[in-house]
Amino acid sequence: MVYEAIKKLVCYGLENHLISEEDRIFTTNRLLEVLKLEEYEEPQEEYKNIELEPVLKELLDYAYETGVLEENGVVYRDLFDTKLMAQLMPRPSEVIEKFWDIYHNKGAKAATDWYYKLSQDSDYIRRYRIARDVKWKAETEYGEIDITINLSKPEKDPKAIAAAKNAKQSGYPKCLLCMENEGYAGRINHPARQNHRIIPVTIQGSKWGFQYSPYVYYNEHCIVFNSKHIPMKIEHGTFCKLFDFVKQFPHYIVGSNADLPIVGGSILSHDHFQGGSYEFAMAKTPVEREFNVKGFEDIQAGIVKWPMSVIRLSGEDTERIIALADVILNAWRGYTDEAAFIFAETDGEPHNTITPIARKRGDKYELDLVLRNNITTTEHPLGVYHPHAELHHIKKENIGLIEVMGLAVLPARLKGEMETLADAMVNGKDIRADETIEKHADWVEEFLPKYDKVTKENVMEILHKEIGLVFSKVLEHAGVYKRTEEGQKAFDRFIDSLNA
């Protein structure tokens, strides 16, 4: 059986152009080495249309049964199957050469199409796990927003957690975004990346890397990262780099997390952007009122109809857009409006920053500037402009770039909780009596009167709709200017300050 699985994996590599026919014997021998097999008898059967997950499962099970794989938990299996896939991978130089050859001869989209497929075929992006993510769209007053319950990032088993705690702490690679991850074998507290290939790109004269996220929260979810391990910073150069990338890959949007804790992303220690081929809900939302800034009459500027506080700049000249973005960023960094509870700093700690997103729309370029503030209070210790406590049963984590644009990335726990909650709602069970779902009780009691009847057929549709409305509130909480008359007047005061 193991010989069959080895041949199937080799045939998979051939089918997906990871290897050539001339590599067949070489690749087979490399797999035998990883599996510590000294003999091999080629099966006579030819295999086609091979599903990768079952083949890897067979090889992983064999490795565990024979002691080659010491532990059978998901972390150990992921380290080992990545090592198997590495035997099918071309060298980085070959991938880079192929990518830029396609780019120069067929265009940017053809190059990214090829690279995205390679990232999936290599199992760097595990298609079969991504397919398990729960996704839907929810209608809100701001348009259709995207909801996803992320199941593609595997949960560690207790043995792996204990081993990671006791493992020697390594400073190599410095973080998950460093160039040094390419080809790295991984360890119990760091994922394997032997099947990972990075495309070098030049942005504003400096060396950056371009890759896809292994967890692809949306179509072609890419990461663009500095080749140097330096902290994120929103500044003039950030806007320049975003547009430089968009000009090289005009079919992609790209944005940056903010550069302060709470309102920033999870990896503030490494300068990076996120982008991809997807139109987020925020991009579809129109400007609801326009304004002019003196000296920048050639740039269209306006406030976007969105739960967070978004200024959209549009024009054909990116240098002019950037110049106006600089004015807005510098003004916002130092802006205080006590009546609106906006403070530029307290006790020397800065609070104001911006989440920027760049795109090309037709002949024009757009830059969305999302105003952020990370102040905390005794009442809101996790952040005033952060999901408040009453929403934590659905979303407690920081609101980063992806959520800002209208895609909720919700924790895996919600899948099971919603199934249990649905059963309780349909069968009239006491929600408060079940410790796994009692945190949802107040929420259910609040929305249930809106619905005449809850049945097995409609309960999940109701929950999906209501989760969407909760996420809409999450974004409203994260907005520095509220969608009230008073809040919008305060927003106008900031806009007026730009012309002062």
Side-chain angles (χ1 to χ4, degrees):
M1 290 293 289
V2 71
Y3 293 166
E4 289 180 12
I6 289 168
K7 183 170 182 180
K8 282 179 183 177
L9 188 55
V10 172
C11 289
Y12 172 87
L14 289 165
E15 273 191 324
N16 291 284
H17 308 290
L18 297 173
I19 59 173
S20 301
E21 184 61 40
E22 293 82 0
D23 302 319
R24 183 191 284 266
I25 295 171
F26 176 78
T27 304
T28 301
N29 286 332
R30 293 181 74 182
L31 290 169
L32 293 177
E33 181 184 355
V34 173
L35 292 161
K36 297 187 178 177
L37 282 163
E38 295 179 357
E39 293 187 28
Y40 177 69
E41 189 173 324
E42 176 94 0
Q44 294 301 304
E45 189 175 347
E46 289 300 323
Y47 303 106
K48 292 183 179 179
N49 303 318
I50 297 141
E51 281 188 61
L52 184 58
E53 186 181 19
V55 175
L56 289 176
K57 183 182 183 304
E58 281 186 51
L59 292 171
L60 288 164
D61 290 347
Y62 170 83
Y64 179 63
E65 288 161 11
T66 56
V68 175
L69 180 60
E70 293 179 11
E71 295 286 351
N72 204 30
V74 65
V75 174
Y76 297 92
R77 289 172 74 94
D78 281 3
L79 288 169
F80 194 80
D81 70 8
T82 304
K83 191 174 184 179
L84 290 170
M85 290 305 299
Q87 313 314 311
L88 279 66
M89 290 300 294
R91 286 180 177 271
S93 58
E94 297 172 84
V95 173
I96 293 164
E97 184 180 359
K98 180 79 178 281
F99 177 89
W100 288 112
D101 180 62
I102 296 172
Y103 181 97
H104 293 301
N105 287 292
K106 297 182 180 178
K109 187 178 184 305
T112 56
D113 285 350
W114 173 81
Y115 179 47
Y116 190 53
K117 184 175 184 301
L118 173 71
S119 299
Q120 295 173 89
D121 291 341
S122 66
D123 209 37
Y124 167 71
I125 296 172
R126 297 171 185 262
R127 283 189 183 102
Y128 43 88
R129 284 190 185 158
I130 304 298
R132 293 171 195 150
D133 287 349
V134 181
K135 297 180 180 182
W136 71 92
K137 290 183 181 290
E139 189 60 49
T140 73
E141 64 178 290
Y142 310 105
E144 269 193 342
I145 58 176
D146 295 291
I147 312 289
T148 177
I149 297 176
N150 176 41
L151 304 173
S152 54
K153 190 180 289 187
E155 293 188 30
K156 294 180 179 179
D157 56 86
K159 274 189 178 181
I161 292 169
K165 188 177 180 181
N166 297 324
K168 179 185 174 183
Q169 295 301 305
S170 171
Y172 182 88
K174 289 187 179 71
C175 78
L176 290 169
L177 291 180
C178 284
M179 288 280 192
E180 289 77 16
N181 282 281
E182 188 175 40
Y184 186 62
R187 52 185 190 270
I188 198 66
N189 54 2
H190 192 104
R193 291 289 183 257
Q194 291 126 306
N195 57 349
H196 178 36
R197 298 294 180 264
I198 296 167
I199 303 299
V201 290
T202 301
I203 299 180
Q204 288 290 293
S206 60
K207 185 180 177 183
W208 284 57
F210 167 57
Q211 66 179 57
Y212 291 105
S213 164
Y215 307 115
V216 287
Y217 294 136
Y218 52 87
N219 188 49
E220 295 177 54
H221 177 186
C222 69
I223 301 170
V224 189
F225 58 100
N226 200 313
S227 63
K228 296 177 182 176
H229 182 76
I230 56 175
M232 290 179 62
K233 182 70 178 169
I234 303 298
E235 57 189 359
H236 169 79
T238 307
F239 305 138
C240 297
K241 288 166 188 166
L242 290 174
F243 278 125
D244 194 349
F245 181 81
V246 168
K247 285 177 181 179
Q248 293 181 62
F249 300 93
H251 60 299
Y252 275 4
I253 60 103
V254 67
S256 175
N257 270 303
D259 55 355
L260 293 177
I262 296 177
V263 297
S266 57
I267 306 180
L268 294 178
S269 61
H270 197 127
D271 194 15
H272 72 284
F273 308 138
Q274 293 181 83
S277 179
Y278 192 72
E279 188 175 30
F280 288 87
M282 192 177 82
K284 298 175 187 176
T285 306
V287 165
E288 60 182 353
R289 59 187 191 275
E290 296 182 351
F291 63 87
N292 286 316
V293 178
K294 289 174 189 174
F296 293 95
E297 288 80 8
D298 55 323
I299 300 301
Q300 289 178 282
I303 293 171
V304 177
K305 184 184 178 183
W306 192 244
M308 296 187 72
S309 307
V310 186
I311 294 170
R312 179 168 295 159
L313 308 180
S314 176
E316 294 182 4
D317 187 342
T318 56
E319 288 189 12
R320 294 288 292 156
I321 295 174
I322 290 166
L324 180 51
D326 285 342
V327 169
I328 294 168
L329 174 62
N330 292 331
W332 180 244
R333 288 278 193 201
Y335 188 76
T336 291
D337 183 347
E338 292 188 18
F341 203 78
I342 292 167
F343 297 87
E345 57 88 23
T346 53
D347 300 323
E349 181 190 349
H351 296 307
N352 288 349
T353 185
I354 278 175
T355 297
I357 302 104
R359 67 181 74 86
K360 189 176 186 192
R361 197 190 296 270
D363 294 329
K364 290 187 176 181
Y365 291 93
E366 285 183 355
L367 185 65
D368 284 350
L369 302 172
V370 188
L371 306 182
R372 311 298 304 274
N373 180 291
N374 76 345
I375 197 167
T376 61
T377 61
T378 305
E379 185 184 0
H380 302 294
L382 297 181
V384 172
Y385 305 107
H386 175 88
H388 293 174
E390 68 267 24
L391 306 181
H392 288 180
H393 65 105
I394 297 293
K395 178 71 172 175
K396 184 179 182 180
E397 298 78 15
N398 292 0
I399 302 306
L401 172 67
I402 295 171
E403 281 97 353
V404 163
M405 296 189 291
L407 192 160
V409 181
L410 302 180
R413 63 172 172 83
L414 277 177
K415 183 177 186 293
E417 289 175 13
M418 289 306 112
E419 289 168 356
T420 305
L421 191 59
D423 176 66
M425 289 168 63
V426 170
N427 295 299
K429 295 179 182 177
D430 184 0
I431 294 170
R432 296 186 191 278
D434 187 333
E435 62 179 16
T436 63
I437 57 171
E438 61 177 338
K439 58 179 167 286
H440 300 299
D442 290 346
W443 172 54
V444 173
E445 287 175 5
E446 184 182 338
F447 74 67
L448 213 50
K450 293 195 293 186
Y451 301 95
D452 294 332
K453 196 172 183 181
V454 177
T455 66
K456 187 178 178 182
E457 286 72 32
N458 73 359
V459 65
M460 206 49 85
E461 182 184 340
I462 289 170
L463 284 172
H464 282 179
K465 179 180 178 181
E466 294 298 328
I467 287 173
L469 295 176
V470 169
F471 183 63
S472 181
K473 287 181 184 176
V474 162
L475 294 181
E476 288 174 354
H477 285 187
V480 292
Y481 293 114
K482 303 309 174 190
R483 300 283 305 169
T484 61
E485 185 179 352
E486 184 183 3
Q488 292 304 294
K489 281 182 179 177
F491 202 164
D492 288 339
R493 287 199 294 273
F494 171 67
I495 298 301
D496 291 341
S497 76
L498 298 175
N499 286 311

